[in-house]
Amino acid sequence: MTYGSRNFRGVFLLGLFLLIYPVCVRAQFMGRQTGCYNSEIVANPNRPTVANPADITQYGVLELEYGWDRGWLGAGARQSDLVGLLKFGLLCDVELRWNTTNLIALNDEDGNRHGFGDNWFGPQVRIYRQTAHVPSLAFSYAFKVSTASTHKGLGSGHFDHQFTFLASKDLVGTHFDFNASSFLIGRDNASGFDRNFQFNLALSHPLKSKLAVTGEFYGNTELNADTPGFASMLWALTYAISPRLVIDGGIETGLTPGTPQKRVFAGLTYSIANIYSAVKHRRPANGNSKPPDSRR
């Protein structure tokens, strides 16, 4: 087994632990979260936009997003990725998140390389639920565990940080998501961080039945002399096969120099199960973990 595969396995187990451990720790706390359970599990897709919704995954629900994309970077370079997001509704207004890139395949002037990507962990906290005149509001934090190969040029090897303010609102039949993020990116051959900002505005509007169209405009400010700012837009279609399963596909086009010329993508969002409900239903009514002894 190579070092890279051992490293990825360790990150996978860490991510699974961070998402599942609170289920056990909070088992006795489940009943105190009033008004959180939903009669039906409904997916809360973050895909296909870069922006995330301020509203979080349903309480107790474990949800998976997974997708493939290919980008044409210019000068004949291409990059393909398999990316995933595992989310868990820890509390009514707290969600745990694990973003992972399972595979990066890069083809440029240095040749063909492929390997594991980086992993991001962190919570999202909703501080206000949407009302007639005020959007849903949330904050999130994520830190990067550098698992992508620096030798192959697939990663930086640094621990980075992301701080995000999120707002979401339904207006005239259209859903809007706004994100404002600050990134702290580790520097090569120097201490400290470079900083830049990202702003996103995404919208989604139903077309017919379970079909909807999604669009987004977003951009980053300059990070450093080697990484200028940019602006980009994407358009996609989403289709709800069921309330728990949503598929998507679309295209992104750069609006300014320095962005990928084109990116195509496809993926899905699936709500796996309500873990809290499953645990609660498996517990005996008397609260004991063992059945009564029939010999007594």
Side-chain angles (χ1 to χ4, degrees), residues 219-274:
N220 285 23
T221 61
E222 179 182 298
L223 178 65
N224 51 42
D226 298 322
T227 309
F230 69 88
S232 188
M233 71 172 179
L234 66 82
W235 294 96
L237 293 174
T238 64
Y239 184 81
I241 295 177
S242 72
R244 297 170 63 166
L245 176 60
V246 180
I247 59 175
D248 64 75
I251 185 169
E252 177 177 350
T253 302
L255 298 176
T256 61
T259 60
Q261 296 175 343
K262 181 175 63 176
R263 181 175 70 94
V264 295
F265 53 86
L268 60 85
T269 302
Y270 178 63
S271 295
I272 301 171
N274 190 313

Side-chain angles (χ1 to χ4, degrees), residues 53 71 80-81 100 114 128 130 143 202 209 219-220 238 246 286 290:
S80 298
D81 305 272
T100 180
H114 66 274
Y128 191 88
Q130 178 179 189
F143 66 93
S209 183
N220 285 23
T238 64
V246 180
N286 60 10
K290 297 182 179 180

Side-chain angles (χ1 to χ4, degrees), residues 11 14 30-31 35 52 89 119 126 143 163 194 199 219 225 240 268 270:
V11 171
L14 172 62
M30 290 189 297
N52 296 322
N119 290 264
R126 180 174 55 194
F143 66 93
F163 305 85
D194 288 325
F199 299 95
L268 60 85
Y270 178 63

Side-chain angles (χ1 to χ4, degrees), residues 3-168:
Y3 172 77
S5 60
R6 292 198 303 269
N7 197 18
F8 181 78
R9 186 180 67 176
V11 171
F12 174 80
L13 294 175
L14 172 62
L16 201 60
F17 173 79
L18 291 175
L19 286 165
I20 300 301
Y21 176 72
V23 177
C24 302
V25 174
R26 299 263 177 193
Q28 62 182 359
F29 183 69
M30 290 189 297
R32 302 179 186 179
Q33 294 284 292
T34 59
C36 299
Y37 282 109
N38 294 274
S39 58
E40 181 183 24
I41 297 179
V42 178
N44 178 44
N46 287 206
R47 293 185 54 87
T49 58
V50 179
N52 296 322
D55 288 307
I56 63 173
T57 302
Q58 290 174 307
Y59 178 61
V61 171
L62 186 66
E63 188 167 278
L64 173 68
E65 300 188 9
Y66 207 78
W68 166 89
D69 65 75
R70 168 168 285 188
W72 287 261
L73 310 180
R78 301 185 306 276
Q79 179 173 313
S80 298
D81 305 272
L82 287 175
V83 295
L85 169 60
L86 192 62
K87 303 177 290 180
F88 176 64
L90 176 66
L91 300 175
C92 284
D93 297 301
V94 178
E95 172 184 274
L96 300 182
R97 304 167 60 86
W98 172 19
N99 281 278
T100 180
T101 302
N102 298 129
L103 176 66
I104 299 177
L106 182 60
N107 183 348
D108 60 15
E109 59 184 7
D110 294 324
N112 298 327
R113 297 102 72 199
H114 66 274
F116 299 120
D118 293 320
N119 290 264
W120 290 78
F121 301 92
Q124 179 170 314
V125 180
R126 180 174 55 194
I127 60 174
Y128 191 88
R129 299 192 186 194
Q130 178 179 189
T131 58
H133 302 291
V134 181
S136 292
L137 304 174
F139 289 97
S140 70
Y141 164 73
F143 66 93
K144 187 188 80 176
V145 177
S146 184
T147 50
S149 171
T150 56
H151 175 71
K152 296 180 180 179
L154 301 177
S156 68
H158 300 299
F159 285 89
D160 304 329
H161 306 268
Q162 178 183 5
F163 305 85
T164 303
F165 166 76
L166 309 93
S168 297

